[in-house]
Amino acid sequence: MGSPGHCCAGDGRSPSLQSLFPSAGIPRLRRPRTLYPWRRAPTLGRVRRAWVIPPISVSENHKRLPFPLVQIKSDKQQLGSVIYSIQGPGVDEEPRGVFSIDKFTGKVSLNAMLDREKTDRFRLRAFALDLGGATLEEPTDLEIVVVDQNDNRPVFRQEVFTGRVLEGAVPGTYVTRAEATDADDPETDNAALRYSILEQGGPQLFSIDPLTGEIRTVQVGLDREVVAVYNLTLQVADMSGDGLTATASAIITLEDINDNAPEFTGDQFFMEAAEAVSGVEVGRLEVEDRDLPGSPNWAAQFTILDGDPDGQFTIRTDPRTNEGVLSVVKPLDYESRERYDLKVAVQNEAPLQAAAPRAERGQARVSVQVRDVNEAPVFQENPLRTSLAEGAAPGTPVATFSARDPDTQQLQRLSYSKDYDPEDWLQVDGATGRVQTQRVLSPSSPFLKDGWYRAIILARDDASPPSTATGTLSIEILEVNDHAPELSPPWGSLCSTPDRGSGLLLGATDEDLPPHGAPFHFQLSPRVPELARNWSLSQVNVSHARLRPRLRVPEGLHRLSLLLQDSGQPPQQREQPLNVTVCRCGQDGACLPGAAALRAGGAGISLGALVIMLASVILLLLLALLVALLARFRQQSWDKRLLHGLQDDLRDNILNYDEQGGGEEDQDAYDIDQLRHPAELAAFGAPLGRPPLRRDAPFGRARPQVTRALPTSPADIADFINDGLEAADCDPSVPPYDTALIYDYEGDGSLAGTLSSILSSLDDEDQDYSCLREWGPRFSRHQRRPPGHRGQT
């Protein structure tokens, strides 16, 4: 491809151009230049090459559209016989439709506004075909470059920049850096940025590098106590400072240094403290410091320089107020010293800068007046430790637990009492504090811990109000050897021959504590010399010994007597019986089954065990007898209560349980269910009229009865029964209600005899009716009734 001012290669002729446009961004040019990208220049001995088309420049944001860019032609055919086309981004690829070409003339046009920040160049391919679609020329490249315009403002990377610098920093100290960007072409002035400070809000203490944006100090005099924060307004402009602009802020904070020493608010402080107390606040020392509150440059530290040789005071710093808090760490004594004059100093936690001015009030005087109070008595030795022999008799002196009153300028009397004595073992003299026992302390007391008994004694003065001191009295109970050792257990078995078995291992226990217990000494009783001829006893360890027969001894139970002695001072000894069962043993030293084994089993039971077993059996028998008697008594009581219950309501009980009625042929007895359960009869729909007539009734007809209302409350039941009884008595068709015939008539033709016929051969005198007396007058004895009528009462 040729370009303006270039010749075709190899022939020395000027290119065939209709018009030449040096730039598509110049409005005065009306026609696009014409290029012959496929023209070849003949050369001798060389291969022909195509023209190289230079890039076509077009400005972004071009508004007069469509805009002609260039015209391409092929010189192989006449005008109108060639078809031109282009392909690539902006034509048939995204973004589509930006460029187009006239297929007959080869004119390339711009159809849309360009944005260099999106696409800075387009690379297209140009084609030339004949009318039949055959390729006339090889495809050639067509590059379109978008020329930048200053259409983008610079932008700061952040709206607010922050920086920190120490107060008093020297000029040129780096603080922070401002950064901005511009979307325009960085190779042009459109993106050439320059930085500046528009406003500082005071003296010109900071500067900014126009090219890099670095902010630095330019003067001395940065003082946080005067101005702690500076707000700067920054600006950035493109076109080397003459184009579009943008602004941002920079906040610069001065960091504190210890350039101000703390000072007391006064030269002297007056305070008062009570004696005999510690850990209490006496007063506060106020200080001032201009440095940053809460920082080590501001935090104060106090020191007592003079006036406190015994270290009875301390000063801590209140972190919230930075005040010095004077406290008493050791109790003061008014009787020893009435006033303290302290010299104190203050300084910061962080060291003071060398150039900082010295404080005028870095030291102060503190006067502390001691206030006299009633102090509690003080035990001379607390806790007081002493010892006492085990089993000490009542009245045995223990110790004198006395105290002194520190209030020497006040005449006061002390009294003593017990505060804690769980076994109530001690007695304290209220005037002298002398302690003695008032009874014998049990060795098994749960308040004896590892042989020590603890009590608390109180000492109180007679001031108003009184003060009390507490003293601890610890008494060691010394062990006394008052128990002899015992065999454990006092029985055993061994083989009858010396060469079988390992013998009988004997052990011993002692209720006394060391050193009054083991080692124990085992010995056959010297009162029985023959024991040493038949038996041998050897010590195994401090608490065990082994018994063996010297000769073959007969099988069965052998009762030996042993003498045991402990190691206490003085030693205690006891002679004890030992039941030894001798048996026939096998090769393994174990007793063989048989008579000897049976005897051995019985021999192992001591007399005490037999007595306990027998007493247990007797006790069980007595308990069984007691249970049987108790059950019988309860049954009799129940029977009596039952009879009393029957006597309370004889009618109802007879109706329910003892009504016999007539004989087998008596089917018309009087129906008394109306008196028993009238509500149930009404519920079942039974009529409440007159019952069927009895055959022994004196009249054959009965007059109709008036229907009665059922009782509605318990109070009406009695009236209902009385009305029924009166109706029955007045009814001439039946006998009266209380006639014995109603209950006792047996009817005619009964196969059974009357009750009076039973044992009728015996005289009534032979019968014992005394038991009926307890049943009440209704069961008292009367004259015998004729046969057929019994039990009339």
Side-chain angles (χ1 to χ4, degrees), residues 55 69 86 90 134 146 161 165 298 319 400 540 584 651 654 731 793:
L69 295 179
I86 56 177
V146 182
F161 296 90
V165 65
W298 174 81
T400 299
V540 175
R584 184 173 69 257
R651 178 189 61 79
I654 292 177
D731 189 355
T793 59

Side-chain angles (χ1 to χ4, degrees), residues 264 269 271 281-288 300-303 314-319 321-327 344-346 366:
F264 287 102
F269 298 87
M271 302 177 184
E281 179 180 328
V282 178
R284 290 179 172 251
L285 307 176
E286 296 182 4
V287 295
E288 294 178 345
Q301 289 182 335
F302 298 87
T303 306
T314 185
I315 305 178
R316 64 175 180 86
T317 303
D318 187 332
T321 62
N322 210 30
E323 296 175 328
V325 182
L326 180 64
S327 303
V344 298
V346 62
V366 180

Side-chain angles (χ1 to χ4, degrees), residues 11-342:
D11 59 1
R13 294 182 291 110
S14 298
S16 175
L17 300 175
Q18 293 182 356
S19 63
L20 299 175
F21 288 157
S23 174
I26 302 175
R28 64 182 179 84
L29 298 178
R30 299 304 182 190
R31 294 183 299 169
R33 59 181 176 173
T34 302
L35 302 177
Y36 296 88
W38 297 284
R39 177 174 294 176
R40 304 290 189 270
T43 59
L44 296 177
R46 293 174 57 187
V47 179
R48 294 185 303 170
R49 60 183 180 86
W51 287 92
V52 177
I53 302 176
I56 300 172
S57 299
V58 59
S59 176
E60 66 174 336
N61 303 320
H62 203 289
K63 297 181 180 179
R64 293 192 298 177
L65 302 173
F67 180 76
L69 295 179
V70 71
Q71 182 180 11
I72 60 176
K73 282 187 177 183
S74 173
D75 54 2
K76 290 187 178 182
Q77 297 288 345
Q78 295 296 325
L79 182 64
S81 60
V82 180
I83 304 299
Y84 299 97
S85 65
I86 56 177
Q87 295 179 0
V91 181
D92 56 352
E93 299 178 13
E94 294 296 336
R96 299 176 183 271
V98 177
F99 303 101
S100 63
I101 188 170
D102 189 310
K103 64 180 180 179
F104 296 112
T105 64
K107 294 180 180 181
V108 180
S109 300
L110 174 66
N111 301 323
M113 292 180 60
L114 299 178
D115 188 355
R116 192 206 66 84
E117 285 71 41
K118 293 183 178 179
T119 306
D120 59 350
R121 64 185 61 234
F122 296 86
R123 291 182 174 87
L124 308 179
R125 296 278 283 174
F127 300 89
L129 307 175
D130 60 15
L131 295 178
T135 300
L136 294 179
E137 306 283 356
E138 292 293 330
T140 186
D141 294 332
L142 181 62
E143 184 177 13
I144 301 174
V145 177
V146 182
V147 178
D148 181 51
Q149 288 186 346
N150 190 20
D151 57 347
N152 292 280
R153 289 181 177 274
V155 177
F156 279 103
R157 292 188 179 274
Q158 56 196 68
E159 295 182 359
V160 179
F161 296 90
T162 59
R164 307 183 73 87
V165 65
L166 290 175
E167 62 173 331
V170 299
T173 303
Y174 174 82
V175 180
T176 185
R177 180 181 178 183
E179 293 182 278
T181 59
D182 196 315
D184 291 325
D185 189 357
E187 301 298 331
T188 65
D189 284 347
N190 297 334
L193 305 181
R194 297 294 182 267
Y195 298 92
S196 61
I197 298 177
L198 298 181
E199 184 179 357
Q200 297 192 29
Q204 303 297 318
L205 299 177
F206 301 95
S207 66
I208 187 170
D209 190 297
L211 297 178
T212 63
E214 290 184 353
I215 300 176
R216 298 177 179 271
T217 61
V218 295
Q219 293 184 17
V220 297
L222 294 176
D223 190 353
R224 190 205 65 84
E225 288 74 35
V226 178
V227 180
V229 178
Y230 289 89
N231 291 294
L232 279 62
T233 302
L234 309 180
Q235 175 181 282
V236 62
D238 57 15
M239 301 296 292
S240 298
D242 297 329
L244 303 177
T245 63
T247 59
S249 298
I251 299 178
I252 300 176
T253 303
L254 300 187
E255 293 185 343
D256 184 54
I257 62 174
N258 192 12
D259 56 348
N260 295 279
E263 296 183 355
F264 287 102
T265 58
D267 296 331
Q268 193 168 5
F269 298 87
F270 297 93
M271 302 177 184
E272 185 181 61
E275 67 168 336
V277 293
S278 61
V280 296
E281 179 180 328
V282 178
R284 290 179 172 251
L285 307 176
E286 296 182 4
V287 295
E288 294 178 345
D289 196 315
R290 298 178 59 198
D291 289 320
L292 181 63
S295 67
N297 302 325
W298 174 81
Q301 289 182 335
F302 298 87
T303 306
I304 300 177
L305 302 178
D306 191 18
D308 185 24
D310 299 328
Q312 294 177 296
F313 298 92
T314 185
I315 305 178
R316 64 175 180 86
T317 303
D318 187 332
R320 186 178 59 86
T321 62
N322 210 30
E323 296 175 328
V325 182
L326 180 64
S327 303
V328 177
V329 293
K330 294 181 181 180
L332 305 177
D333 187 8
Y334 175 82
E335 287 72 22
S336 300
R337 188 172 180 177
E338 300 180 5
R339 181 188 181 92
Y340 290 85
D341 292 317
L342 308 179

